[in-house]
Amino acid sequence: MSGTFVGMPAFPKAAHEAVQDLTLRGNLRHATHTIRAKRAAAVAEVSDWALLREAGKQIKDHTLRHLDRYLVQVEESVTAAGGTVHWAADADEANRIVTDLVRATGESEVVKVKSMATQEIGLNEALEAEGIHAYETDLAELIVQLGKDRPSHILVPAIHRNRGEIRDIFAREMGAWGRPAPDGLTDTPAELAEAARLHLREKFLRAKVGVSGANFIVAETGTLVVVESEGNGRMCLTLPETLISVVGIEKIVPTWRDLEVFLQTLPRSSTAERMNPYTSTWTGTTDGDGPRDFHLVLLDNGRTDTLADDVGRQALRCIRCSACLNVCPVYERAGGHAYGSVYPGPIGAILSPQLRGTQSEIDASLPYASSLCGACYDVCPVAIDIPEVLVHLRERIVQGGPVTHEGTKVVLKPAKGHAAERAAMRAARWTFGHPGALRTGQRLASRTRRFHPRTLPGPGRAWSGTRDLPQVPAESFRDWWRRTGGDENGPRPGTADGPAKETK
Amino acid sequence: MSSRELILARVRRALADAPADDTPYERAVERGYLREHGRRTAEESADLLAENLADYRALVHRCTREELPDLLARLLAERGSRSVVVPPGLPADWLSAVDATRVPDLATSTAAELDRVDSVVTACAVAVAETGTVVLDGGPDQGRRRVTLVPDHHVVVVRVPEQVVASVPQALERLDPARPLTWISGPSATSDIELDRVEGVHGPRTLEVVLVSGH
């Protein structure tokens, strides 16, 4: 059973602890730098990248704009192809639906394809509580599950582990879950992959129920798409008799043709490959090939709340490639766990507070887990303007205002922690609206400038510890302008010495 | 209210402020991106396919139609395969020179039985040059999805030039979404250890692609 994210501390505290961990920082630095250069090369291979990116954005925006229509179309087409469609408003309902479906088969274990949606709803824990064992089959998910750990990356949940740590986890834990790791296992990646192959094969061969997510659902045909590398996805999608796919409602694309965009942008953004080793598509059930029963669980769990925010809804375009994590300077140093969610990194910082609301300490702190450098926006294959949403969410947290929570419009109160900042902003607004007061204040500041401290006292000390406070000029611009008799044409000729120096 | 009605009502409420949009879908998305990257002759496309497959560690072979039976026999012999899965619609003469025991692709065979088979030989539906991809659609010469998954050695035959397209958009045009599709680009691999690619996890660890030309 993997750890949970419940009761996580706010990002600054969690990150503060993470950055002290030198092994973690070394692992993350190595992995993210490896993938960055490769992604850039894979993207540079296609000359029309900008057009593909724009098309991907437009496809997703159009789908979200007409999501009600496309959801109904998905239901019709999947049903017509022999599948059964279920609707889950929240995590509990989705877990209940899946648990009941597994129970109905009489089985007490399932094999799982890596899926963000099932991580998000805590499906493994819910199944375990009902006596059903869920085996993760993706290599990184297996490492996380065996290590009783939490995922720290969207694509590579065990990115925080290096090969030596993975070897130790396999050698120590595999025996308790099934076939033990081979004797004398070393830390070469090929041997570790072989150990995972041997360990999981018996589980694949006897599996009767598979659980997956999906990268895309095609509305017009009812086709689901899973993009993967190892073949564990193919195992789970084709060997069991029953297949249950839990998919967020934002994963829909309208037409089969739309895949031509995402099957080019997703692999290059995610693993920096021209194409990932395996992509499976299936439409309902096929006689004599693959599962006899197919269930699709359409998951809301905060997505419609996100859709209600006209700035924040662009986060629903996300195709979970994780390119934004790999380029993020904050993620590289703090690691994924500090984000307190299965969605870490820049996308997590805008997705988690929208899916879950900003009531908890961690969710209210996530929009601040960024330097707003914009690298995430640059690499995003569906052009999500993550900095724009971060600033929007910061504004919402500080000022409060209307949001949608579990389908109901509520008005958020301004956050308590920002009272001083709000008071300062109110005072500034009033001052800028009263030129006389502004002039008096500026002159007072200029005359007392030699007494100004170089560092801030009290809680401001940490901020000014690494920054110079701005120096107040001897004369304000407005006073200089007046003194030199300037008008809309600029200062009077012969007096253009500029305002008193030291303004910089 | 059922969850279905609840979710649909939430979606409609969430979009109540969005500006009206009745653009038909064909005009809603600017598709100025390329249908293929660069112009290539059929021969150049086959070369690119071979190059990209090899780049992702598939073993690529080229031969004429007449040479195919001998080549397949040699590949299986070199591998030491004693058994090989044969899809029902595979042209009979392809494996005419093969000694290994032929295992038919049956609805009743179990995954555990397939796990004891050494190799599988199939045709394909289409191949994509730009990405080094071979696509299977479960046709009679390709068999059920599991037969190309459980055995550790997959030999797939691509008919050149008629089955080779340049790009992903062109491949999707040729494929039928109603069929279960498997897109294969190299042998099973993982990037899960330190984000570095390693070949060989659950799918066939050896992928051999034969580009066969002539009729």
Side-chain angles (χ1 to χ4, degrees):
Chain A
M1 180 108 319
S2 57
T4 70
F5 288 103
V6 177
M8 282 291 292
F11 182 83
K13 183 168 188 300
H16 183 73
E17 285 161 18
V19 294
Q20 319 274 339
D21 184 339
L22 293 180
T23 308
L24 175 70
R25 287 190 61 172
N27 294 352
L28 284 170
R29 187 183 152 77
H30 172 69
T32 55
H33 285 246
T34 303
I35 196 78
R36 264 180 223 177
K38 283 196 205 161
R39 189 210 74 97
V43 166
E45 266 188 15
V46 277
S47 54
D48 55 343
W49 184 257
L51 297 168
L52 286 166
R53 182 177 187 243
E54 179 61 25
K57 168 180 185 271
Q58 291 181 12
I59 291 167
K60 286 284 188 171
D61 277 349
H62 169 90
T63 315
L64 291 169
R65 174 64 191 81
H66 303 282
L67 189 58
D68 51 341
R69 199 172 83 206
Y70 286 118
L71 278 166
V72 172
Q73 193 183 7
V74 163
E75 183 182 48
E76 287 167 2
S77 57
V78 170
T79 307
T84 309
V85 177
H86 310 260
W87 301 70
D90 57 25
D92 288 344
E93 187 174 14
N95 288 333
R96 210 161 45 239
I97 291 167
V98 177
T99 306
D100 289 346
L101 288 170
V102 178
R103 279 234 186 88
T105 66
E107 294 295 316
S108 61
E109 64 176 45
V110 303
V111 287
K112 279 188 69 200
V113 191
K114 175 171 164 31
S115 135
M116 294 309 298
T118 61
Q119 283 273 9
E120 175 191 323
I121 61 176
L123 178 64
N124 293 7
E125 292 76 10
L127 289 173
E128 196 68 44
E130 299 294 327
I132 298 163
H133 303 294
Y135 296 115
E136 292 290 351
T137 64
D138 169 74
L139 179 52
E141 291 285 6
L142 177 70
I143 296 163
V144 168
Q145 188 173 45
L146 293 177
K148 301 176 185 65
D149 203 350
R150 284 178 286 117
S152 70
H153 191 275
I154 289 175
L155 175 74
V156 191
I159 195 172
H160 56 290
R161 299 290 193 188
N162 62 36
R163 56 187 75 185
E165 294 173 286
I166 295 167
R167 190 214 79 90
D168 293 345
I169 291 170
F170 278 10
R172 196 176 59 233
E173 303 292 341
M174 271 183 170
W177 289 77
R179 181 171 175 158
D183 289 336
L185 179 67
T186 74
D187 65 359
T188 56
E191 268 193 50
L192 296 171
E194 165 81 13
R197 177 184 170 96
L198 294 170
H199 176 76
L200 286 172
R201 185 137 290 229
E202 58 178 15
K203 295 188 167 62
F204 288 134
L205 296 184
R206 68 170 188 242
K208 295 283 189 284
V209 184
V211 175
S212 83
N215 294 91
F216 308 100
I217 309 180
V218 180
E220 68 172 351
T221 58
T223 307
L224 275 79
V225 182
V226 162
V227 173
E228 56 135 351
S229 295
E230 296 168 16
N232 65 307
R234 294 179 65 192
M235 292 276 180
C236 297
L237 298 172
T238 51
L239 296 184
E241 291 165 3
T242 302
L243 172 63
I244 306 166
S245 300
V246 181
V247 188
I249 55 174
E250 82 284 19
K251 295 280 158 206
I252 300 175
V253 297
T255 66
W256 177 248
R257 184 185 176 187
D258 295 326
L259 295 176
E260 72 190 18
V261 174
F262 299 110
L263 290 182
Q264 294 192 77
T265 53
L266 178 55
R268 290 177 196 267
S269 298
S270 143
T271 47
E273 293 166 306
R274 278 178 214 108
M275 189 59 91
N276 49 293
Y278 298 130
T279 296
S280 296
T281 77
W282 72 99
T283 304
T285 53
T286 305
D287 281 343
D289 184 358
R292 287 198 299 260
D293 288 311
F294 168 56
H295 297 273
L296 170 63
V297 182
L298 292 169
L299 177 71
D300 179 351
N301 203 36
R303 285 161 177 77
T304 51
D305 293 347
T306 309
L307 187 65
D309 186 319
D310 61 352
V311 177
R313 66 170 61 125
Q314 60 184 303
L316 297 175
R317 292 205 293 260
C318 177
I319 55 174
R320 311 282 190 263
C321 72
S322 70
C324 63
L325 279 64
N326 298 335
V327 297
C328 179
V330 177
Y331 177 86
E332 181 191 331
R333 286 160 183 86
H337 290 154
Y339 293 81
S341 160
V342 296
Y343 303 110
I347 187 63
I350 62 169
L351 205 51
S352 309
Q354 296 200 88
L355 292 177
R356 305 192 294 206
T358 51
Q359 297 86 342
S360 73
E361 208 183 15
I362 177 71
D363 286 315
S365 70
L366 282 176
Y368 297 88
S370 166
S371 65
L372 303 180
C373 78
C376 47
Y377 178 38
D378 284 348
V379 298
C380 179
V382 285
I384 300 170
D385 191 341
I386 293 177
E388 180 191 23
V389 183
L390 286 167
V391 171
H392 169 73
L393 293 174
R394 289 179 188 187
E395 188 180 301
R396 178 204 278 180
I397 287 162
V398 173
Q399 300 187 345
V403 296
T404 305
H405 186 63
E406 292 175 2
T408 311
K409 281 208 172 128
V410 292
V411 177
L412 279 189
K413 282 195 204 127
K416 284 200 191 76
H418 301 273
E421 185 184 337
R422 264 199 314 281
M425 286 298 164
R426 261 201 307 275
R429 190 165 61 216
W430 183 86
T431 311
F432 283 120
H434 296 77
L438 178 61
R439 188 165 53 241
T440 309
Q442 284 178 329
R443 286 181 185 162
L444 187 66
S446 289
R447 292 200 187 119
T448 57
R449 56 202 285 263
R450 76 176 66 177
F451 304 113
H452 292 180
R454 306 191 67 119
T455 53
L456 289 173
R461 193 194 307 269
W463 190 86
S464 58
T466 53
R467 296 171 180 85
D468 289 332
L469 288 181
Q471 285 186 13
V472 175
E475 179 182 34
S476 75
F477 176 81
R478 280 153 38 102
D479 281 350
W480 168 80
W481 188 261
R482 187 174 308 236
R483 178 169 63 77
T484 56
D487 53 24
E488 62 269 23
N489 298 317
R492 205 168 48 202
T495 61
D497 57 337
K501 298 291 189 250
E502 305 150 289
T503 47
K504 286 201 179 144
Chain B
M1 192 177 353
S2 71
S3 290
R4 178 185 190 277
E5 299 314 313
L6 180 70
I7 293 171
L8 289 173
R10 283 178 178 179
V11 169
R12 286 170 191 139
R13 215 158 42 232
L15 294 169
D17 303 341
D21 169 39
D22 48 13
T23 319
Y25 188 57
E26 304 78 66
R27 286 194 278 115
V29 178
E30 292 168 52
R31 296 187 192 265
Y33 52 84
L34 303 172
R35 303 306 297 168
E36 59 182 301
H37 296 87
R39 310 274 322 156
R40 280 176 293 271
T41 63
E43 202 171 313
E44 287 165 341
S45 280
D47 288 345
L48 183 63
L49 173 67
E51 187 186 318
N52 284 335
L53 278 163
D55 191 31
Y56 284 160
R57 306 286 186 278
L59 306 174
V60 183
H61 312 274
R62 304 183 77 156
C63 69
T64 63
R65 183 69 186 77
E66 290 71 34
E67 294 162 345
L68 184 61
D70 284 343
L71 176 62
L72 291 175
R74 179 166 69 78
L75 296 180
L76 293 176
E78 282 173 359
R79 169 91 185 174
S81 294
R82 282 162 304 168
S83 54
V84 54
V85 181
V86 185
L90 200 75
D93 64 311
W94 283 14
L95 296 184
S96 54
V98 166
D99 292 331
T101 309
R102 288 158 179 71
V103 179
D105 168 25
L106 300 174
T108 50
S109 60
T110 65
E113 284 163 14
L114 284 173
D115 196 35
R116 291 191 286 272
V117 181
D118 296 320
S119 299
V120 57
V121 176
T122 70
C124 73
V126 65
V128 190
E130 285 181 7
T131 57
T133 303
V134 175
V135 187
L136 309 182
D137 71 357
D141 53 3
Q142 299 152 56
R144 292 174 176 79
R145 284 172 286 175
R146 63 186 184 201
V147 302
T148 52
L149 173 63
V150 181
D152 204 14
H153 179 222
H154 181 193
V155 183
V156 56
V157 178
V158 182
R159 296 181 178 93
V160 176
E162 61 266 34
Q163 288 192 309
V164 182
V165 298
S167 65
V168 171
Q170 292 174 355
L172 283 161
E173 280 170 13
R174 281 211 195 178
L175 293 163
D176 176 3
R179 306 185 71 98
L181 303 180
T182 306
W183 298 52
I184 300 172
S185 309
S188 161
T190 182
S191 302
D192 279 356
I193 301 166
E194 301 176 4
L195 268 174
D196 220 356
R197 186 177 157 120
V198 187
E199 279 76 25
V201 200
H202 303 295
R205 286 180 290 186
T206 307
L207 175 70
E208 304 208 55
V209 183
V210 180
L211 307 185
V212 58
S213 51
H215 293 276

